[in-house]
């Protein structure tokens, strides 16, 4: 049996890479105490996230692909190391029934937004609401009420405000009570995105949700309804997120060539 290699010290300390991966494990992952199996399963369209986790963990094993009985395709990454599982428990991961016992770990400020990005990418959604509003809206869902309150408080301390909603069991087919956080304003959504994505690179973020944010920023000045505070956040994105500033430079060059 081939024993694949991995950085077994990956979860011993908080780094940008380990915090991002931890956020994904909190939302779409599982950690088994007895076997030491660490696993993340995603829709096949988000396979790029698993490739990035594999890269940052220096894991030499494969990513597996499969299909549900209803035809839905999935991909998953599995690492088996009891020492790494114990490190995750030491950092705050719940040992049993993680879905209803999720705890927001106490992380250094320098990696908070990496953890937040992993949580958002795993259990969050980003939507560009068109029509009269034309705003970004971010929602994060979870089954552990205290975790959602703690997340809400952590974001408020950083100037981002979200409303908490609780959905009773039986609504939308859910067997359990579910909780969601939704940004209160366009400014809150833009600020949250900016802090999550500023000074990042492609190795520690999800392509699909990042691109929704990028496309919104690119088209921001084409909209009639704008505000000074949102405009400041858009300008910060142009200045500090290379993918946005590079696209703007390409657009300007193409425009000048046409003229």
């Amino acid at each position: 049996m081939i024993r694949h290699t991995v950085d077994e010290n990956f979860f011993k300390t908080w780094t940008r890479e380990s915090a991002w991966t931890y956020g994904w494990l909190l939302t779409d992952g599982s950690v088994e105490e007895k076997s030491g199996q660490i696993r993340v399963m995603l829709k096949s369209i988000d396979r790029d996230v698993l490739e990035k986790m594999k890269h940052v963990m220096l894991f030499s094993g494969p990513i597996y692909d499969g299909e549900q009985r209803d035809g839905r395709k999935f991909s998953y990454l599995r690492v088996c190391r009891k020492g790494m599982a114990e490190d995750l428990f030491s950092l705050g991961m719940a040992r049993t029934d993680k879905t209803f016992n999720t705890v927001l770990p106490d992380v250094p400020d320098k990696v908070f937004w990496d953890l937040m990005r992993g949580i958002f990418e795993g259990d969050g959604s980003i939507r560009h609401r068109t029509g009269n509003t034309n705003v970004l809206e971010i929602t994060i869902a979870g089954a552990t009420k205290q975790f959602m309150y703690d997340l809400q408080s952590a974001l408020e301390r950083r100037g981002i405000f979200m409303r908490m909603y609780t959905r009773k069991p039986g609504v939308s087919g859910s067997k359990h009570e579910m909780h969601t956080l939704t940004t209160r304003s366009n400014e809150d959504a833009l600020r949250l995105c900016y802090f999550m994505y500023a000074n990042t690179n492609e190795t520690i973020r999800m392509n699909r949700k990042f691109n929704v944010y990028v496309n919104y920023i690119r088209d921001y000045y084409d909209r009639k309804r704008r505000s000074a505070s949102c405009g400041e956040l858009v300008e910060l994105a142009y200045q500090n997120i290379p993918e946005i500033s590079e696209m703007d430079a390409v657009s300007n060059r193409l425009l000048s060539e046409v003229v």
Side-chain angles (χ1 to χ4, degrees):
M1 182 176 179
I2 298 175
R3 181 176 172 83
H4 300 293
T5 58
V6 66
D7 178 6
E8 299 192 24
N9 296 319
F10 186 72
F11 292 114
K12 287 194 179 298
T13 57
W14 288 115
T15 65
R16 298 195 68 184
E17 293 77 12
S18 67
W20 176 68
T21 306
Y22 190 100
W24 270 100
L25 286 169
L26 276 181
T27 55
D28 278 332
S30 62
V31 184
E32 295 182 8
E33 182 176 13
K34 187 175 181 179
S35 66
Q37 178 176 274
I38 302 164
R39 175 175 165 141
V40 180
M41 178 181 288
L42 304 176
K43 297 175 182 177
S44 60
I45 60 171
D46 296 322
R47 197 179 195 274
D48 67 289
V49 173
L50 302 178
E51 295 282 2
K52 293 170 185 180
M53 286 182 191
K54 177 179 172 177
H55 172 74
V56 297
M57 288 194 288
L58 305 178
F59 182 54
S60 65
I63 293 172
Y64 299 94
D65 299 297
E67 187 173 322
Q68 305 279 13
R69 291 182 178 179
D70 60 6
R72 289 178 298 170
K73 295 182 179 180
F74 63 87
S75 299
Y76 69 91
L77 179 68
R78 180 179 63 198
V79 178
C80 294
R81 292 292 191 281
K82 287 188 176 181
M84 294 179 73
E86 284 300 323
D87 290 336
L88 283 165
F89 297 140
S90 296
L91 291 176
M93 190 73 66
R95 289 181 180 268
T96 57
D97 201 5
K98 176 183 67 65
T99 300
F100 302 102
N101 294 287
T102 306
V103 175
L104 184 66
D106 183 17
V107 299
D109 284 342
K110 64 181 180 180
V111 301
F112 173 81
W113 293 112
D114 298 295
L115 173 73
M116 185 65 227
R117 190 171 59 258
I119 293 171
F120 157 69
E121 291 174 341
D123 265 355
S125 64
I126 179 169
R127 181 172 61 146
H128 175 192
R129 296 178 62 188
T130 56
N132 293 330
T133 54
N134 228 326
V135 299
L136 276 184
E137 183 179 78
I138 292 176
T139 298
I140 300 171
T144 306
K145 192 171 187 177
Q146 188 59 53
F147 169 76
M148 299 300 285
Y149 273 127
D150 291 344
L151 190 61
Q152 182 184 39
S153 297
L155 290 171
E156 285 186 1
R157 290 196 299 272
R158 293 165 172 86
I160 296 162
F161 298 89
M162 302 185 81
R163 296 186 179 91
M164 172 85 84
Y165 298 95
T166 297
R167 188 174 63 195
K168 298 298 182 182
V171 178
S172 300
S174 175
K175 296 181 180 179
H176 307 282
E177 189 175 80
M178 292 295 295
H179 314 280
T180 58
L181 294 173
T182 302
T183 46
R184 291 188 177 185
S185 67
N186 198 36
E187 182 181 347
D188 288 309
L190 286 170
R191 181 171 285 111
L192 177 55
C193 284
Y194 174 72
F195 283 131
M196 287 194 297
Y197 291 119
N199 303 311
T200 62
N201 59 60
E202 195 176 354
T203 63
I204 50 173
R205 67 179 181 229
M206 176 193 227
N207 292 343
R208 181 166 56 84
K209 292 178 182 177
F210 175 67
N211 289 338
V212 175
Y213 169 59
V214 170
N215 290 333
Y216 182 86
I217 294 293
R218 288 190 68 194
D219 297 336
Y220 181 76
Y221 289 112
D222 294 334
R223 301 184 177 92
K224 294 181 179 180
R225 297 184 64 181
R226 301 192 295 268
S227 70
S229 56
C230 289
E232 290 174 1
L233 290 163
V234 168
E235 287 303 314
L236 282 173
Y238 273 106
Q239 294 167 18
N240 297 301
I241 299 179
E243 290 79 3
I244 295 174
S245 57
E246 287 169 6
M247 286 189 296
D248 187 50
V250 169
S251 297
N252 289 336
R253 178 177 58 80
L254 292 174
L255 182 61
S256 65
E257 289 176 356
V258 172
V259 174

